[in-house]
Amino acid sequence: LVVTIAAAAALLSVAAWGTWRWMHRPIPGDHYQVVLADLVNTTGDPDFDLALKTLLSIDLNQSPFLVVATESDVRKTLKLMNRSPESDVPLAVAREVCERLNDQVVLSGLIARFGQSYLVTLRASDCSDGKDLVQVKATAKSRDAMIAAVDAVAANMRKQLGEPLRTLPRPSQTLASAHTFSLDALKAFSQARVYHQQAKFKQAAEFYQRAIDLDPKFFSAYASLANCYNNLGEQSLGVQANAKAYDLRDQAEGPEKLRIVTMYEFWKTGDRYKAIRSYQTWTEMYPRQPYPWVLLGEFEQSIGQLGPGIDAEKHAIALDPNYLSAYASLAENELFDGRLDEAKAAGREALARGFEAADFHDALRDVAYIQHDTAGFQEQMKWYHEKASEEERDDADADLDVSQGKVHSAVTLWLHEGDLQKQDGRKQAMQEGLAAVTDLEADMGLIQDARKHLKQFDPLPAMNGQGWGNIILAAVEVGDVATAEKVLHHMDENGKEDSDVQGLFAPEGRAAIALARGKPEQAITAMQASLSYESAFPDVSDMRARAYLAAKQPEMAEQEF
């Protein structure tokens, strides 16, 4: 009976997913490309300005029928118009932005107050001639009801523009229930998004947390907070925030639900192949959104599929030429694939568009180093010393030091970087950095230093697979095979579905332990599980080469080296 019920539940789950995917399949025919103007607020309440525009943008982005110009698109276009990227975007300016972006529709809105009630009006007009196309309205009986009113005009606008009923929000669920009914929470969330778009993840995380404190059921804030933590290297905190968002997933619609489910499934299991399938589904259902294409490219690269990863990132850039993270991932993919000139071009294009993230300078620095371009390399190092954060500068200087054999200097810089992370409350990032330093010390023969640092990992802190892998390799190098086996067992137990653990770090750990025990054939066998990773991780070939050398197969070792 239990088996029968479980099987029936599984079939219902599959059927529900199939129905949901069919309902949200790509819409054939025309799509509206939209620029969102600033809302005209005549109420005198400044809290309505950014917060309600943010909510309107989120609501409209749930539609597979609309392609809303991103904030970065608008800001870059304002710069081309000789306007400040931070300037307001009233209707007249939005229309010119729309024409420059070759989009079709401008959406403009008005918020007015009549006694204790409010009126929200949203108008769609043609970019080319300014002709009104559609106008929708909604009323709110109080300030707190404004969020529901904005949701209502967004849903009605989607309907009036011709979006099929099957992809519109369910009648039984207002969009506001998928976000928040708290205007103060939405205001904090809107400010967090501004910082998030500027890659200021620490500040963004503080405002996302403030939004959650104001509304503990604000699932979008949990999901975005998880993303910030992951960018800060605090994956364990990211998993906790993501789990909260997942618990509230049934309130979500469209791409937001896809984002939460896909992130949760990956961070819970670490299964990159499952994540790739999810992002492929996402790109089929919302083919004009660059975000899933960027993530698809990053996951493809992470398992060594560099060609498909490059294609996905290029597709994202074609959809949105101002999508910052797509350039960063593209440059890294091309660098790993040996396409040095293309990686340089991607980095230069990103800088030309006004992006100043360290990711682009990392790629340009590495290309210059590989190509022996002294002037290009010095140009990038100058940027780190003049414009980068202290942590980014330490990291760049340490990379240079270790490449020149100045290991002690590099370690000092990385340990200082760890102190900065600790002061910032980023304990996991600090511990994983220390694990990498410990592995380097052991590899370079600084055995006493490595042993001292290894003691700091008892008990073993929360880490990702790479952190555990570094501890295993360091322990083997200093002769503490028992500790290496203990950490390997912990990693295996806690990463049974983790692609990186099972396909990369555990095989490498098993191979290192086998070599330490004088069993090179076992090491060779262990490394067979890592074949798909060797394009993106040179450690795979290095470990396999060492195993072949120990097995007295020098010709095979030479090929791997």
Side-chain angles (χ1 to χ4, degrees), residues 265-277 299 497-499:
E265 288 178 346
F266 172 67
W267 291 113
K268 180 184 179 184
T269 66
D271 189 335
R272 292 185 181 274
Y273 296 95
K274 186 174 183 179
I276 286 172
R277 291 192 295 272
F299 275 95
E497 298 178 83
D498 190 312
S499 304

Side-chain angles (χ1 to χ4, degrees), residues 196 201 222-232 259 263 291:
H196 203 151
F201 301 115
Y222 284 115
S224 297
L225 178 62
N227 182 272
C228 281
Y229 280 140
N230 292 332
N231 279 297
L232 290 168
R259 176 168 80 117
M263 283 180 61
Y291 178 78

